[in-house]
Amino acid sequence: MIPRLDAAKIAARDADTIAALSQAAQDTGFATVYNTALTEARVREVIETYRAFFHLPEAQKRDVDMARTGSNRGWGAAGSEQVDPDANPDYKQFFDAGFALPADDPLAALSVYAPNRWPAQPDAFQAVITAYYRDACAVAMTVLRGIAEAIDAPRDYFDAAFDKPMALLRGNYYPQRPAWATAQDFGIATHTDYGCLTLLATDGTPGLEVRKRGGGWIPVQAPPGEFIINFGEMMEMWTKGRVQATPHRVVGTDAERISVPLFFNPAHDTNVAPIGSADVIRAGDHMEKRFSETYVHLQTRPAAP
């Protein structure tokens, strides 16, 4: 079962809600949350802003094509990401934007803090997405503080790690499942998220499926204004398995689908080795490795001389 939780009660440290969040983290690795600062109208605005971009002619989207820039910011065409090496590249399109650092920041040269690349159209795209990014990060931090309490850590345990987060906001566009699709073709194939916490908004169209612990799949959806949350590999590692990263996928249906995940990840130099461990595992090293395995244009990048 995937619980539905009141975000205001997470913030208020309601014992029953924190207990339900703890159970979700240990069991399915998924929950839905409602009653956040992000209203239905606000979420619909960002979804339709992405939709307008994805419906532009391909020639216009090519201006911010990450395969041309060699970045992990901007537009990714269908087939430009492959999360499962045993499946075909995913047939979705996507647009990525992330944390903006000043040009003179020493971390600005790292690929996980690449400069954002904004399209000229639609109007107000950058303003709408930037504002949503800021406010979605605040919602994600509220949930993350609840997770800290759920694993019996101080409520602010994770706070300092998110001063310069490698938080990535993505707009996903899943077209109708194409007629040529085979059993090896997915909107996004089976995978676990790479980082800490994912806060996912959707247009309400079904498609997301979560793998059950005993096998099989659970469909999960949330209307605009409610959010699906799940946890990534980094969080499972960091918490010594007390929080689970659960495989999930989008097969695709006869309707197009827009989803907007915020991948809420800590600063590059954060040590995400298991709590209490003497090991050092830098969050940025983990993310860079996983990006290089996933983005097709980074897989095929020639080696440095």
Side-chain angles (χ1 to χ4, degrees):
M1 177 182 174
I2 296 176
R4 181 173 179 265
L5 306 176
D6 185 332
K9 289 186 177 181
I10 295 174
R13 311 174 76 171
D14 175 75
D16 289 343
T17 304
I18 297 298
L21 180 58
S22 176
Q23 183 62 36
Q26 295 176 57
D27 185 12
T28 60
F30 273 75
T32 63
V33 296
Y34 66 97
N35 196 21
T36 77
L38 290 166
T39 64
E40 176 184 349
R42 185 81 181 283
V43 173
R44 287 190 182 279
E45 177 189 39
V46 78
I47 286 169
E48 294 310 316
T49 298
Y50 279 120
R51 195 187 307 275
F53 170 77
F54 288 122
H55 284 183
L56 289 173
E58 187 166 305
Q60 286 182 254
K61 291 180 285 193
R62 288 285 179 197
D63 290 340
V64 288
D65 185 352
M66 63 176 62
R68 294 176 60 187
T69 64
S71 175
N72 61 351
R73 297 287 190 273
W75 178 63
S80 59
E81 188 175 46
Q82 185 176 20
V83 299
D84 181 353
D86 295 325
N88 293 329
D90 304 325
Y91 63 76
K92 70 179 186 304
Q93 298 178 40
F94 56 93
F95 186 95
D96 288 350
F99 191 76
L101 287 173
D104 60 353
D105 191 297
L107 295 176
L110 299 175
S111 62
V112 291
Y113 293 109
N116 289 316
R117 300 181 181 275
W118 300 108
Q121 296 293 327
D123 293 340
F125 183 92
Q126 179 177 352
V128 169
I129 302 308
T130 300
Y132 180 85
Y133 177 92
R134 179 195 64 229
D135 295 341
C137 282
V139 172
M141 181 55 78
T142 295
V143 176
L144 195 59
R145 288 171 180 152
I147 288 294
E149 290 197 297
I151 63 168
D152 302 317
R155 184 172 179 78
D156 62 354
Y157 182 84
F158 297 110
D159 282 31
F162 286 81
D163 60 335
K164 296 177 181 178
M166 296 181 294
L168 190 74
L169 183 67
R170 167 170 286 190
N172 283 320
Y173 172 69
Y174 299 97
Q176 293 179 319
R177 183 168 173 81
W180 50 256
T182 71
Q184 295 300 105
D185 292 295
F186 297 88
I188 184 166
T190 303
H191 68 289
T192 50
D193 289 352
Y194 309 149
C196 246
L197 168 71
T198 302
L199 180 80
L200 175 70
T202 81
D203 61 4
T205 303
L208 177 62
E209 297 177 340
V210 176
R211 181 181 286 164
K212 294 193 253 185
R213 296 286 174 226
W217 297 90
I218 307 169
V220 58
Q221 62 190 102
E226 298 192 18
F227 298 87
I228 299 164
I229 59 169
N230 67 282
F231 310 101
E233 300 160 355
M234 193 184 297
M235 179 60 80
E236 181 171 316
M237 176 170 55
W238 204 354
T239 62
K240 295 198 291 189
R242 293 192 64 182
V243 177
Q244 293 290 310
T246 301
H248 49 285
R249 68 186 186 183
V250 174
V251 176
T253 69
D254 60 358
E256 74 173 29
R257 178 175 180 268
I258 301 284
S259 73
V260 184
L262 172 72
F263 302 110
F264 195 52
N265 305 315
H268 181 276
D269 292 342
T270 303
N271 182 12
V272 295
I275 294 171
S277 167
D279 296 338
V280 175
I281 302 173
R282 289 199 310 177
D285 293 341
H286 174 77
M287 296 303 296
E288 287 166 357
K289 176 178 182 292
R290 297 298 275 128
F291 284 153
S292 69
E293 293 168 345
T294 300
Y295 288 112
V296 171
H297 70 279
L298 296 181
Q299 294 170 3
T300 57
R301 184 174 55 191

